[in-house]
Amino acid sequence: MRADIDRRAIATLSAGHAGVDFASGAIPALIPFLVAEFDLDYVAAGALMLAVTASSSLVQPLFGLWSDRRGALWLLPAGLALAAVGTALVALSPAYATAIAFTFAAGIGIAAYHPEGAKFAAYASTARRASGMSLFNVGGNLGYALGPILITPLVLWLGLAGGALAAVPALVVSLTLARALPKLSRLRPSRDATGVASGETQGRAMTILAGVIALRSVAWFALLAFVPLWVVSQGGSEGEGNRELSVMLVAGVAGTLALGPIADRIGLRRTLLATQAALPPLILVFLELGGIVGTLALMGVGFCVVGTFGITIVLSQMYLPNRTGMASGLAVGLAMGIGGVAAVLLGGLADRVDLQTALVVAAAAPALGVVLCLFLPSPRPRVVAEPLTA
């Protein structure tokens, strides 16, 4: 039995995760500039977030099913390349309709990468599941955080078209990942107590976890879509708004590194419950106080939400142990799909009432998720009958 994490494999998968989630992070960073370019309202701005989240969420479980039945390592470099090219074309779009279409295409690439990447990250993690998945996710979190950090100065310097240059590093990573596929193909599931390759399917538990993920995503994707616009509404600039978005995402990288090992020590469900409970007050502090205190609260949100992405993926894989790719696709895809729909609905509320009301409503969703966390059961290993002896 392998006892430790295959760090080289995790590093390779994490680098690809960074590239594909850079595309995810670039879309929210482009939204305030697209709003100004095409004179969009909040609903139209939320629809851009919906385009990338809907495409990735609807297709991601199908990619997971394909991964479980046939294996599809080629989806890793191909998905990354499509996500990068799609995001570049969003920045080059001559009209709002084409921006929506290219955003949708980028979401397909994002969907292609995640189930296969998370499945092989589980294979490479062995018994230290939360820690290994955190290392895989830290690449994605870092890539997401780099989206607004790189996109903002490029667009301010060169205009919207300048944002397309950010796709070049992601394409380089895609080529590097393609060369690493033979080594990754040698990874195999570890049949130990982690439940990667054995265990009892717990459909009810997965349903409860799906509810937790969905409610967390309502708040998270509302913040991704509207934090820059909130800052602008308070008298700040697009650049200042994207800086707030960046610090929230960078804090998520720290949360990923910290919460994975913590979850391995104190338990996945306890860690998820504590972080979920912290979200509503942190969001309200950001909205009501602002300034440095508000920024610190926003960083706390990023720490708690992004830091538990890996935990929910691991739990989903344990609840559906014989469908690791599908479980990963559901965990990530459900989050993106629900979050995208919520962004549009909350955008409509912002147009009819105001943006602050919409964000307060978003803050209430994780509070309901706390209740669901209390009902999450422990993953059950498969019971193997011992042979009778004389």
Side-chain angles (χ1 to χ4, degrees):
M1 182 191 305
R2 293 174 296 155
D4 202 2
I5 297 169
D6 186 336
R7 294 184 179 274
R8 180 173 296 182
I10 287 287
T12 300
L13 293 165
S14 185
H17 201 185
V20 79
D21 277 9
F22 174 82
S24 295
I27 300 299
L30 287 170
I31 285 177
F33 298 106
L34 293 169
V35 166
E37 179 75 13
F38 301 125
D39 192 25
L40 306 178
D41 59 17
Y42 287 125
V43 170
L48 286 165
M49 183 65 72
L50 177 62
V52 68
T53 56
S55 57
S56 57
S57 64
L58 293 174
V59 179
Q60 197 159 152
L62 298 179
F63 280 123
L65 183 62
W66 188 356
S67 170
D68 287 329
R69 289 185 174 178
R70 296 177 176 268
L73 267 174
W74 62 270
L75 287 173
L76 299 180
L80 173 54
L82 178 57
V85 171
T87 303
L89 292 175
V90 171
L92 296 171
S93 294
Y96 175 67
T98 53
I100 287 283
F102 290 135
T103 301
F104 191 90
I108 297 292
I110 294 165
Y113 186 90
H114 280 101
E116 192 77 357
K119 182 176 78 173
F120 276 83
Y123 293 169
S125 299
T126 64
R128 297 173 59 193
R129 293 291 299 282
S131 296
M133 197 60 69
S134 290
L135 292 174
F136 169 68
N137 277 327
V138 78
N141 302 153
L142 183 60
Y144 208 118
L146 285 174
I149 290 172
L150 295 181
I151 286 290
T152 301
L154 283 172
V155 174
L156 291 176
W157 177 34
L158 299 172
L160 259 175
L165 295 175
V168 174
L171 290 173
V172 172
V173 174
S174 176
L175 294 174
T176 303
L177 190 59
R179 296 181 60 185
L181 292 187
K183 293 182 179 179
L184 291 175
S185 67
R186 301 187 190 119
L187 291 172
R188 291 293 181 270
S190 173
R191 295 184 177 274
D192 57 20
T194 65
V196 173
S198 65
E200 180 182 339
T201 297
Q202 294 174 261
R204 178 177 176 275
M206 186 64 213
T207 300
I208 296 172
L209 179 61
V212 175
I213 293 171
L215 291 166
R216 181 186 67 184
S217 299
V218 169
W220 179 244
F221 280 88
L223 292 173
L224 287 178
F226 299 125
V227 159
L229 298 177
W230 169 256
V231 173
V232 171
S233 74
Q234 300 301 299
S237 66
E238 289 89 348
E240 290 170 336
N242 275 342
R243 280 198 294 273
E244 290 290 288
L245 187 64
S246 297
V247 298
M248 180 177 74
L249 295 171
V250 169
V253 176
T256 301
L257 290 172
L259 293 179
I262 288 173
D264 276 332
R265 291 186 179 91
I266 71 171
L268 298 167
R269 293 175 300 147
R270 287 180 182 176
T271 306
L272 184 59
L273 175 63
T275 52
Q276 191 89 357
L279 292 178
L282 286 172
I283 295 172
L284 293 177
V285 168
F286 165 69
L287 294 174
E288 298 299 330
L289 299 183
I292 295 176
V293 174
T295 298
L296 291 174
L298 194 63
M299 293 173 67
V301 172
F303 185 93
C304 292
V305 174
V306 179
T308 53
F309 280 171
I311 291 171
T312 52
I313 291 174
V314 171
L315 275 173
S316 68
Q317 291 173 343
M318 289 181 168
Y319 290 145
L320 302 177
N322 301 307
R323 292 288 183 268
T324 309
M326 172 68 81
S328 305
L330 285 172
V332 181
L334 178 68
M336 299 188 75
I338 296 296
V341 172
V344 173
L345 295 177
L346 291 170
L349 180 61
D351 283 330
R352 293 193 175 190
V353 186
D354 56 49
L355 185 55
Q356 182 173 10
T357 300
L359 291 173
V360 169
V361 170
L368 298 175
V370 172
V371 178
L372 291 182
C373 280
L374 296 174
F375 293 95
L376 280 175
S378 298
R380 293 195 295 265
R382 179 173 301 176
V383 178
V384 180
E386 296 291 337
L388 294 175
T389 57

